[in-house]
Amino acid sequence: MNIALWIVTGLLAAALLVSTSKAFVPREKMVKAGGSAAEWVMDFSPGALWAIAALEFLAVIGLILPAVLDILPVMVPVTAVCVALLFAGATIMRLRRGERKTAAGDVLYFLLAVFVAVGRFAIEPFGG
């Protein structure tokens, strides 16, 4: 189970890291490259996108470093809960926009974050 949790945590961290590009790529370029799945960025100001990207980057750090450095490893499942909340919000936003197909990806990430949170809090906590 520990290996599965590390794999899912790594996948989640990688997805979040890639997603931080919204802080550096102009909104128009993102929509052009991402098509209809990226149109949501036009609903947010560049500052709001930067803030979302900053939260995602902090989540990457919180999912990996506490366990690797063995400094407050309880922060891994706490971060996973925060990531689940982030993707719950993303899912709600997509559903309000009528983007049911793209909302499925956010639901998947939500479920992965819940898996990590439950796994690290209850099933296979660090140091346990």
Side-chain angles (χ1 to χ4, degrees):
M1 180 58 96
N2 187 45
I3 293 172
L5 284 165
W6 270 112
I7 291 170
V8 172
T9 302
L11 290 173
L12 203 53
L16 287 164
L17 190 60
V18 168
S19 183
T20 62
S21 67
K22 70 177 68 63
F24 311 106
V25 178
R27 295 181 308 165
E28 296 77 16
K29 191 172 181 179
M30 285 182 64
V31 171
K32 191 174 182 180
S36 63
E39 288 178 357
W40 68 271
V41 299
M42 298 307 287
D43 293 346
F44 293 86
S45 69
L49 292 174
W50 189 90
I52 294 168
L55 291 173
E56 291 170 341
F57 185 73
L58 290 172
V60 170
I61 292 168
L63 285 171
I64 304 294
L65 284 184
V68 170
L69 299 176
D70 197 24
I71 300 172
L72 289 173
V74 72
M75 289 308 297
V76 172
V78 170
T79 302
V81 169
C82 294
V83 170
L85 293 172
L86 179 78
F87 281 110
T91 302
I92 291 167
M93 182 266 310
R94 292 226 191 247
L95 292 175
R96 284 185 178 169
R97 290 180 47 85
E99 300 174 359
R100 296 198 187 285
K101 289 182 182 177
T102 52
D106 292 325
V107 170
L108 174 65
Y109 289 128
F110 169 80
L111 293 173
L112 292 175
V114 168
F115 173 74
V116 172
V118 171
R120 288 302 181 196
F121 270 132
I123 299 171
E124 182 104 19
F126 291 109

